[in-house]
Amino acid sequence: MSTPPPDSTPGATKPSNFLRQIIEHDLSVGTYASRRWAGSPGDAAHHAAAPPDTAKIRTRFPPEPNGYLHVGHAKSICINFGLARDYGGVCHLRFDDTNPEKEDTEYVNSIIDAVRWLGFDWSQPGNTAPYQASDYFGFMYRAAETLIEAGHAYVDEQTAEQMRANRGDFGKPGVDSPFRSRTAAENLARFREMRDGLHEDGSMVLRAKIDMASPNINMRDPAIYRIRRATHHNTGDTWCIYPMYTFAHPIEDALEQITHSICTLEFEDQRPFYDWLLERLTETTALPDGRVVGGLLSAPPPRQYEFARLNLTYVITSKRKLAQLVYDRKVSGWDDPRMPTIVGLRRRGYTPSSLQLFAERIGVTKSDSWIDYSTLEGCLREDLENTAHRGMAVLNPVKLVLTNWDEVFAAQGGASYLEPCSLPALPHPPEGTEAPARHFTIGKEVWIEREDYEEAPPKGYKRLYPGNKVRLKGGYVIECTGATQDASGTITQVLATVVPDTKSGTPGSETVKVKAAITWVGVADGVRAEVRMYDRLFNDAHPDAGGKDFIESLNPNSLKVVTALVEPSLANALPDQKFQFERHGYFVADRVDHVTGGKPVFNLAVGLKDSWGK
Ligand code: ATP
Ligand code: MG
């Protein structure tokens, strides 16, 4: 799957949104026109010597590699990579791996796969690897020392409880720490001791010195570095102090010359600190001793913009909660087809274009709302409608015997005779092409759906009941004569006679009128398949809203496995290949358990019609 071609008129063909308006404004007034790009991330000096940046904008997608990406991340990926593509820019893939405890290379690889699979690419001339925030630890340390020297940060030795108590709350201003008025030299010495491992984990932190009375609690001297003896997957034991996310993130953006740093709304309250920090690190400060510090980062600094995160009904989009489903074995793994992870959606039959269409359709807004799950399914249906090959499958089979077959086809061999049939695999083939054909045979015995026979038909029933005629789709018109039952009253065989000269597509076949055509699969060439019928994972539209225990609303019937019979064209499905099982819905050949017990495996991707909320 490749990245769609860039629009010739930047952004012009897409519906506008507030992010597009901001970018278009910045491009028209040249907000970032003076930026330079040294080919790799770095400080002001690194970029100053470089040529002007050829990327008109720089965005980034910065996942923490602590889990698998989900449908919400897909939205963020489509936004960030999509904007860069549409406006002649570049989008960086950056692993936000500043927290030493939780990262894992399994997650790193899955994130790389997910972004590529969605159709996006972060590589730029001379640079194909994703960025890692941990590569910037050295710079972050330097930035912290600069803040200390300029009087913008101090080492606080209050206990965590004291700090919490002194922070105040919405109605109450905070109280200055007794350590707040230390000299820069004292703070620097203490911070270096922290770095050198002379103090216990948690015994002190470095804090920005802003305003303990700020109405925004995030501005009440936030912690920016903590002591944590943990081995980091990239930097090993080099560091025993680690930057806090709110300090690290703006610096990562600035080193990478990001122009538009797009995040979800919960970071709105962090924006003042984002701006405060980058301002302090781009400006220069003359110290009392005559030295000048600062000017570490190039100007103009990046700016942060917030959009509403995706909330999807019947779905949870928290990595932590998804992990709980996996570890408590409520699902078969991160790629269980019921999971909203990108690997799960993919295994369910979702395509990159269906997810891109979804991201476009839901748009970008500044206020939180719930998107109906059916919107996601509609996008998949729309994508598969014209591309998925058709095939017949019988999910709940009962045998139908054509009792006059031997006589009607006596000349061709009688009971064992099989008549070749074919139907187009696509109802609407692409312009100028002919639909590929599917081939199968009809014989004396075929499988039909159990629900297609009624001994005593309800009013309006048009399928098989004694005396009624239907067409076996792509085959013959048949007339039902009855059925056999076992002692418990279960139908064991449906009986019918074939009406000669009515085969689909032959001259005169339409002279016998019927009210219904039913799907079927030949007993001779039908293939047994395992079909996994998936349903929503939760019965509650908002499974984890308001602190609810989402485990309680797990749908016990979210997976039913049936042995179906499928026509021969489906028997050799390739892993990941999508089909429309006529009348049943869209199915995908499972990419993990491609064959089980000798049977091909198919997953229900989405039904033919929207059945949600009905
Ligand atoms: P989670 O809470 O599931 O762990 P996260 O926000 O912590 O998600 P990150 O790896 O930090 O996960 O996210 C990477 C990017 O994806 C961030 O920019 C974040 O804003 C965005 N993102 C995460 N969840 C959603 C969502 N539901 N809708 C839109 N964007 C999201
Ligand atoms: Mg996060």
Side-chain angles (χ1 to χ4, degrees), residues 62-64 66 73 96 245 266-267 319:
E64 214 182 322
N66 62 351
H73 295 110
D96 212 322
Y245 177 83
E266 63 268 28
F267 294 101
K319 274 185 268 181

Side-chain angles (χ1 to χ4, degrees), residues 35-54 58 90 92 122 124-132 135-136 251-258 297-298:
R35 274 177 327 120
R36 297 173 175 275
W37 172 247
S40 57
D43 63 9
H46 178 71
H47 292 299
D53 193 353
T54 53
R58 287 185 185 269
V90 170
H92 299 190
W122 53 87
Q124 27 182 335
N127 202 333
T128 52
Y131 295 129
Q132 302 189 80
D135 286 341
Y136 314 144
I251 293 179
E252 295 158 24
D253 284 345
L255 292 171
E256 293 180 16
Q257 295 282 63
I258 299 302
L297 292 169
S298 0

Side-chain angles (χ1 to χ4, degrees), residues 195 228-242:
R195 176 198 60 190
R228 185 80 191 85
R229 284 173 179 76
T231 305
H232 188 280
H233 77 106
N234 180 27
T235 57
D237 293 321
T238 308
W239 299 94
C240 66
I241 55 171
Y242 289 95

